[in-house]
Amino acid sequence: MLHFRTEGYQGYAVKYSPFFDNRLAVASSANFGLVGNGRLYILELTPNGIVPAKWFTTQDALYDLAWSEANEHQVLTATGDGSIKLFDSTLNDFPIQNWKEHNREVFSVSWNLVAKDTFCSSSWDGTVRIWSPQRPHSLVTLPTHSCTYSASFSPHSPDILSCVSSDSYLRVYDLRTPASASNHLTLQIPIHAAPASPIPGNPGAPPAACPPSEALTHDWNKYRPSVVAVAGVDRTIRTFDIRAPQQGPQAIMIGHDYAVRRVAWSPHLSNVLLSASYDMTCRAWSDQSPPGVVGDTDLMRSGPSPVMGAELGRMNRHTEFVTGVDWCLFGSEGWCASVGWDESVYVWDVRAVMG
């Protein structure tokens, strides 16, 4: 396990480079993101441990980041002053581009993995915006009318994106549809709707009627184009199949003691995901679906009850809120990085905590 300290700055997000197996970026903030500067770290994994290759200090907190899919040296940041900044690690000091249309904190940014020429952002101002790095203004604005913590393009389509927000909905947009009155909204799934029936044989299961609570994070499955994992304040991770939204959650994973701040599906295994929580742990989970099956309709839950996912292991080296986790795309399956408010970045092997 490797460790790096972001001294004076609390981590909010960590992402592996999609181009290099030994490069990480970390978004961090002074004073826990409440007031003060932010700092973007570009870190290199070397035989001597984790070494900072570059850092950029910003005038406001950084809450999220995304590597460019078009340029291996460029990183987007989501900033507390409502701006989005694009940095180039080969250049000094200043962002090479700056966009500011959001009226409140930008809390997430996500690059389009398919088209590679657009990215999206979400904000506490109740909007999701789509941008091109070649344009000075946003291309599309998608209103959610609710504080939106996480937005992401589908890794399977250049035109489909989703978001989760404080009103407890998972929204899916298709940019190929007419804008009209729906603003490209094609699906709105109530995350905490009562399941069709109680979960049998599980005394720790949530009640049949779950009160709505803020959804903080979500992620698309990398192998199953219709499956999305969602989590947040109620400490429960749920997976949904957007082909059958009326069925409710396909799988439910329970175990965290406090809010789940980040979920990330494995890029190597179709049924494994990682979570990071305010309970100071990262946990690996299985949604109990058959591994390695892509796009089969029989993966949809056939019965009225969601499947109970299984915790595979946990990493508990952090001593404060864990706010970010990401998988390495390269090499042997299982390496990941996590970051938290303890000013710590850890690089570790999920297989080790799974025993």
Side-chain angles (χ1 to χ4, degrees):
M1 184 178 291
L2 302 177
H3 176 258
F4 176 81
R5 187 179 176 205
T6 56
E7 186 172 358
Y9 291 85
Q10 290 76 43
Y12 264 90
V14 60
K15 294 290 174 61
Y16 270 95
S17 165
F19 297 97
F20 303 103
D21 61 357
N22 67 333
R23 190 170 296 175
L24 295 168
V26 173
S28 63
S29 301
N31 304 308
F32 305 97
L34 298 175
V35 65
N37 298 336
R39 181 168 287 177
L40 168 66
Y41 290 89
I42 308 296
L43 305 177
E44 301 279 356
L45 307 182
T46 74
N48 298 318
I50 304 176
V51 175
K54 194 92 168 181
W55 66 70
F56 300 92
T57 301
T58 57
Q59 292 186 337
D60 212 313
L62 299 183
Y63 294 131
D64 197 19
L65 57 86
W67 285 94
S68 166
E69 291 289 326
N71 186 311
E72 64 266 32
H73 302 297
Q74 295 180 358
V75 184
L76 279 174
T77 59
T79 310
D81 63 3
S83 69
I84 302 161
K85 302 181 189 299
L86 182 66
F87 291 92
D88 190 309
S89 63
T90 64
L91 303 174
N92 290 327
D93 300 332
F94 299 108
I96 59 173
Q97 285 181 263
N98 186 78
W99 299 270
K100 192 176 189 307
E101 293 182 21
H102 286 294
N103 298 321
R104 292 198 60 191
E105 292 86 343
V106 182
F107 216 64
S108 79
V109 284
S110 169
W111 208 282
N112 192 323
L113 300 181
V114 182
K116 301 183 187 298
D117 60 351
T118 54
F119 62 90
C120 67
S121 62
S122 73
S123 169
W124 293 2
D125 67 5
T127 65
V128 173
R129 293 178 186 265
I130 299 169
W131 313 78
S132 165
Q134 313 302 327
R135 302 287 186 88
H137 303 290
S138 60
L139 307 176
V140 180
T141 299
L142 306 171
T144 66
H145 309 292
S146 185
C147 179
T148 307
Y149 291 105
S150 174
S152 177
F153 275 101
S154 165
H156 308 279
S157 169
D159 300 301
I160 295 176
L161 69 154
S162 56
C163 67
V164 295
S165 50
S166 60
D167 63 358
S168 180
Y169 279 97
L170 165 64
R171 292 177 172 87
V172 180
Y173 299 89
D174 189 334
L175 301 180
R176 295 166 297 188
T177 62
S180 66
S182 66
N183 293 294
H184 303 291
L185 181 67
T186 56
L187 199 58
Q188 187 166 274
I189 301 174
I191 297 167
H192 297 91
S197 66
I199 302 170
N202 180 45
C210 302
S213 63
E214 294 191 310
L216 303 177
T217 178
H218 78 303
D219 193 37
W220 290 85
N221 191 292
K222 306 306 184 290
Y223 293 91
R224 295 165 179 160
S226 61
V227 175
V228 182
V230 179
V233 170
D234 73 346
R235 304 167 293 170
T236 301
I237 303 167
R238 296 171 174 85
T239 68
F240 292 90
D241 193 316
I242 63 173
R243 296 172 299 177
Q246 72 284 351
Q247 283 195 357
Q250 299 288 301
I252 291 180
M253 286 151 270
I254 299 171
H256 278 295
D257 298 319
Y258 294 104
V260 180
R261 182 63 184 81
R262 189 84 63 168
V263 292
W265 284 102
S266 168
H268 309 288
L269 302 169
S270 62
N271 59 351
V272 172
L273 65 125
L274 278 174
S275 59
S277 169
Y278 290 162
D279 67 9
M280 298 183 281
T281 68
C282 293
R283 306 193 190 198
W285 305 85
S286 167
D287 68 356
Q288 300 290 63
S289 62
V293 183
V294 180
D296 283 7
T297 55
D298 62 358
L299 286 174
M300 283 195 291
R301 171 170 49 87
S302 57
S305 302
V307 174
M308 287 305 300
E311 183 182 329
L312 303 176
R314 67 183 69 175
M315 192 280 271
N316 54 11
R317 293 288 292 272
H318 285 282
T319 56
E320 254 295 353
F321 293 170
V322 189
T323 50
V325 67
D326 192 41
W327 296 86
C328 180
L329 299 174
F330 304 96
S332 57
E333 59 196 44
W335 283 96
C336 73
S338 59
V339 70
W341 278 12
D342 53 0
E343 303 180 359
S344 289
V345 181
Y346 287 103
V347 174
W348 47 284
D349 189 345
V350 179
R351 294 166 298 179
V353 304
M354 290 166 57

